[in-house]
């Protein structure tokens, strides 16, 4: 195989950092080409400190935050699809015609097919079907990425976008339910407020542990991951859930990243230890 190549496809600046930041940094350091697609600029995310952004500037600010995170992780290429953040489910932002969730399927899939054929990644990573915790944009980028994974390899689909490209594996980033349990235990031991975790739990956060196909130890890259998270200043403010525990405990929790193999389907006996095993 020539230079190994990974394409990560997410919805908002910061989606990449928590679940995959250590892995992207790990493979970039090992010489892989690592590219990141971001569907929106996270225009309706939080503003942790009014000195950092206003609702009007947040998209621009978050674009810069993502470029900062990409530099920290060694991600060489960042591509924005140019949609607007659709906001949390049930908010007025859902109805904005520019919102990512309102983009026609074929338009987004076409964009992604063009990117996949251009970059020719061996491995593609995106959200699992519930998008981590049910955010509508996360669910949408999951759906479009799965469709594009297949369409990019189909010679009859979008022939005007270049030669077909079959990425060898599609992974979902899959934070296991046990992660949230152990985080909650640690927080309770320290007498910390666990209401943010309870909300995540209500939103169905967490992937079944027995469906995790690959756990990567990224402890050697946890500092790069931490720096990437800290680039996302508007989102990762002083009250962020992951700032409540002591930094050392959070870094330990963040030292493992988890993936489910979506395609080709996991065959019995396949013991993955690496995104590129056997490729
Ligand atoms: Zn997001």
């Amino acid at each position: 195989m020539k230079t190994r190549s990974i394409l990560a496809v997410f919805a908002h600046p910061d989606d990449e950092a928590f679940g995959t930041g250590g892995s992207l940094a790990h493979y970039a350091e090992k010489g892989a080409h690592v590219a990141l697609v971001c569907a929106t600029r996270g225009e309706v995310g939080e503003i942790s400190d009014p000195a950092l952004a206003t609702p009007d500037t947040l998209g621009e600010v978050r674009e810069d935050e993502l470029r900062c995170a990409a530099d920290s992780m060694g991600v060489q290429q960042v591509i924005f699809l140019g949609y607007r953040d659709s906001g949390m489910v049930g908010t007025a932002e859902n109805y904005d015609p520019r919102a990512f969730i309102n983009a026609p399927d074929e338009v987004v899939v076409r964009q992604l097919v063009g990117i996949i054929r251009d970059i020719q990644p061996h491995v593609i990573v995106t959200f699992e079907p519930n998008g981590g915790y049910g955010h509508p944009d996360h669910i949408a980028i999951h759906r479009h990425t799965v469709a594009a994974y297949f369409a990019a390899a189909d010679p009859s689909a979008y022939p005007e976008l270049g030669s077909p490209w079959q990425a060898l594996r599609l992974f979902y980033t899959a934070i296991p339910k046990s992660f949230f349990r152990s985080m909650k235990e640690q927080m309770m031991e320290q007498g910390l407020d666990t209401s943010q975790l309870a909300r995540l739990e209500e939103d169905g956060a967490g992937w079944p542990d027995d469906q995790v196909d690959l756990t990567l130890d990224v402890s050697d890259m946890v500092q790069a991951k931490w720096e990437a998270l800290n680039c996302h200043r508007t989102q990762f403010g002083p009250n962020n859930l992951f700032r409540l525990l002591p930094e050392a405990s959070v870094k330990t929790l963040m030292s493992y990243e988890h993936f489910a193999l979506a395609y080709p389907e996991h065959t019995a006996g396949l013991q993955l230890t690496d995104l590129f095993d056997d490729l």
Side-chain angles (χ1 to χ4, degrees), residues 11-12 14-15 127 133 135 138:
H12 312 113
D14 85 347
D15 290 346
F127 281 115
Y133 62 94
H135 193 295
H138 296 188

Side-chain angles (χ1 to χ4, degrees), residues 113-182:
V113 166
I115 291 165
I116 292 169
R117 288 188 182 164
D118 183 38
I119 294 177
Q120 304 188 334
H122 301 105
V123 165
I124 299 179
V125 179
T126 190
F127 281 115
E128 37 89 352
N130 187 42
Y133 62 94
H135 193 295
D137 285 330
H138 296 188
I139 292 171
I141 197 68
H142 157 82
R143 194 177 78 244
H144 296 314
T145 304
V146 172
Y149 173 83
F150 290 107
D154 177 354
S156 67
Y158 311 101
E160 72 283 8
L161 295 182
S163 311
W165 178 257
Q166 175 68 69
L168 300 173
R169 282 188 185 134
L170 175 65
F171 283 100
Y172 299 154
T173 169
I175 298 169
K177 291 200 183 280
S178 60
F179 172 91
F180 294 102
R181 274 201 306 276
S182 93

Side-chain angles (χ1 to χ4, degrees), residues 25 67-75 223-225 227-229 231:
R67 295 192 190 283
C68 166
D71 286 345
S72 301
M73 296 179 292
V75 168
Q223 187 54 33
K225 178 175 180 173
E227 282 167 18
L229 272 164
C231 285

